[in-house]
Amino acid sequence: MQDRDDKLAGYFAASAPWAAEIAALRGILQATELVETFKWRGPVYTLAGGNVATIWRLKDACGLSFFKGVLLSNPDNLLVAAGENSRVIRLFKFRDLAQITRQDAQIRATLAEAIALERAGAKVVLDKDDLPLPEELAARCDADLQFAQAFAALTPGRRRGYVLHISQAKQAATREARIDKHFHRILDGKGLHDR
């Protein structure tokens, strides 16, 4: 518990980038029934153990993201995909405190909707991921049954992360190096960004 509290205190330190904006978002989140915890290098807000929202420091902004964001109504089109390959998470991006103040009602309404979805047990149903395995990854799976089984046992999101990461390399040697780099992580059932 102390370790978690220390990490949260460090994340919310006044000297960190976007400190005022993040403090304002934290205040809004703490006014809900969500429980604040620390996961994946940042604060995560949960309901009955289910992840609902998180606060992020980005290079050019800070963000409030929603784990089941694709299910949110987003009537003002303020929520955006977290990244080019993001299928589920949606986030608000804020570049100053005034923007958070202006969008306070939308933030609170979106939080209420996200909490209601979590309470109702809503699930995101995705189409089957049709990303083809890079040739080098397919060859490694064909050559190593243990590796193939470990890769197949990963969650769909973890498999997708590896496929995208490996596929983005332009040269075969780089794709092979990326497979080698993450070989033991895959055997251990870890995703690309898991610690």
Side-chain angles (χ1 to χ4, degrees):
M1 187 73 138
Q2 182 63 36
D3 184 47
R4 178 193 69 118
D5 292 340
D6 290 345
K7 288 178 179 179
L8 282 167
Y11 190 89
F12 291 110
S15 61
W18 307 105
E21 293 81 2
I22 285 174
L25 292 173
R26 184 185 199 192
I28 293 169
L29 286 154
Q30 287 181 325
T32 70
E33 64 192 277
L34 297 176
V35 175
E36 183 179 73
T37 189
F38 193 89
K39 300 181 185 181
W40 306 297
R41 296 172 275 165
V44 175
Y45 298 85
T46 67
L47 181 72
N51 299 324
V52 176
T54 187
I55 298 173
W56 292 106
R57 277 190 180 83
L58 308 169
K59 289 180 185 175
D60 63 340
C62 66
L64 171 60
S65 66
F66 297 89
F67 286 90
K68 296 178 183 174
V70 72
L71 299 178
L72 297 169
S73 59
N74 195 19
D76 300 315
N77 294 315
L78 298 173
L79 293 171
V80 297
E84 177 183 333
N85 296 305
S86 179
R87 300 193 309 168
V88 178
I89 293 177
R90 296 294 180 266
L91 75 122
F92 286 111
K93 281 188 178 180
F94 303 103
R95 290 182 176 76
D96 59 52
L97 199 52
Q99 183 184 3
I100 294 171
T101 302
R102 282 191 313 273
Q103 295 177 356
D104 183 80
Q106 291 99 334
I107 296 167
R108 291 179 192 274
T110 303
L111 273 167
E113 184 181 1
I115 290 167
L117 285 170
E118 190 62 34
R119 185 174 286 116
K123 302 281 184 209
V124 176
V125 179
L126 298 172
D127 293 334
K128 185 178 183 312
D129 198 347
D130 59 350
L131 290 176
L133 293 183
E135 182 179 320
E136 296 78 9
L137 184 57
R140 183 70 61 98
C141 287
D142 289 344
D144 186 333
L145 180 60
Q146 181 185 12
F147 178 80
Q149 290 172 335
F151 187 77
L154 293 173
T155 64
R158 287 183 172 122
R159 282 194 307 269
R160 181 178 174 81
Y162 282 120
V163 169
L164 289 168
H165 177 65
I166 294 164
S167 297
Q168 289 168 346
K170 291 183 170 63
Q171 297 181 12
T174 306
R175 290 189 294 274
E176 288 285 352
R178 288 181 178 183
I179 294 167
D180 291 340
K181 178 180 177 183
H182 297 291
F183 182 83
H184 291 289
R185 296 176 59 72
I186 291 169
L187 289 180
D188 290 341
K190 294 182 177 179
L192 192 62
H193 302 292
D194 293 344
R195 289 186 179 230

